[in-house]
Amino acid sequence: MADRAMPRAGQVISGTHGYLWINGSIVYEVLSFEGRIETDREDITFAGQMTKDSKLMAVSGTWTATVRKMYSRSKEIAENLMKGIDTRATLIGKLADPDNGGTERIQFSNCWFDGATLMAFESGSVCEDELSGGFTSMKYLDTIADPC
């Protein structure tokens, strides 16, 4: 096995340079974003074997975002949900740190919204909206190579 080079501290990516687009429109007020794949598995056991294994049966994609409240972003989503309309979107998340030199972009497609924050506030605090939902496909648009 080849030795790996020690990375530089500057190669650790800062979330300061994270961006989010919803349907091609950049969301400058984003505070956090996360896209995940979760697995659905079935336990598998074999005669004479004490350990359980598992069989991958399906995957499901989820996403969450926190944005600073600047306007009624959730209006269309909420009004459509009240009419029984399932709003779908394409999300793109991007991480790019000038000290790292790399860029990672992932497109999340056929995204739905689990709900919409209609109003939330706390006296003396900046207002935030929480957005979340799922997706059925994803694609890496840019990746960051292993520096070591």
Side-chain angles (χ1 to χ4, degrees):
M1 184 170 160
D3 288 329
R4 290 175 52 92
M6 178 67 73
R8 292 182 304 103
Q11 290 173 303
V12 176
I13 297 173
S14 166
T16 300
H17 304 281
Y19 297 90
L20 174 65
W21 287 262
I22 300 177
N23 289 335
S25 178
I26 193 164
V27 181
Y28 283 114
E29 65 276 20
V30 67
L31 289 171
S32 66
F33 176 74
E34 179 180 41
R36 294 182 50 85
I37 291 181
E38 305 282 336
T39 62
D40 294 329
R41 295 181 169 273
E42 187 77 29
D43 285 346
I44 303 293
T45 57
F46 295 101
Q49 190 175 15
M50 290 301 296
T51 58
K52 277 191 222 178
D53 203 338
S54 69
K55 170 73 176 163
L56 178 64
M57 302 301 288
V59 296
S60 56
T62 60
W63 63 271
T64 58
T66 303
V67 296
R68 290 181 187 93
K69 179 82 169 185
M70 293 182 64
Y71 65 97
S72 300
R73 176 180 293 282
S74 300
K75 178 183 184 291
E76 180 183 354
I77 298 163
E79 289 175 346
N80 281 347
L81 287 172
M82 293 298 290
K83 296 175 192 170
I85 299 169
D86 189 11
T87 302
R88 298 292 171 124
T90 298
L91 308 181
I92 295 178
K94 176 183 175 183
L95 276 174
D97 189 323
D99 205 14
N100 171 281
T103 298
E104 182 176 79
R105 283 188 315 136
I106 303 175
Q107 177 177 302
F108 303 88
S109 300
N110 196 31
C111 298
W112 63 85
F113 296 85
D114 283 338
T117 301
L118 300 177
M119 184 179 293
F121 62 88
E122 181 179 334
S123 180
S125 296
V126 173
C127 294
E128 299 174 357
D129 283 345
E130 299 287 330
L131 304 169
S132 65
F135 59 90
T136 59
S137 67
M138 51 75 60
K139 176 171 62 171
Y140 279 87
L141 303 175
D142 296 302
T143 59
I144 300 171
D146 183 346
C148 301

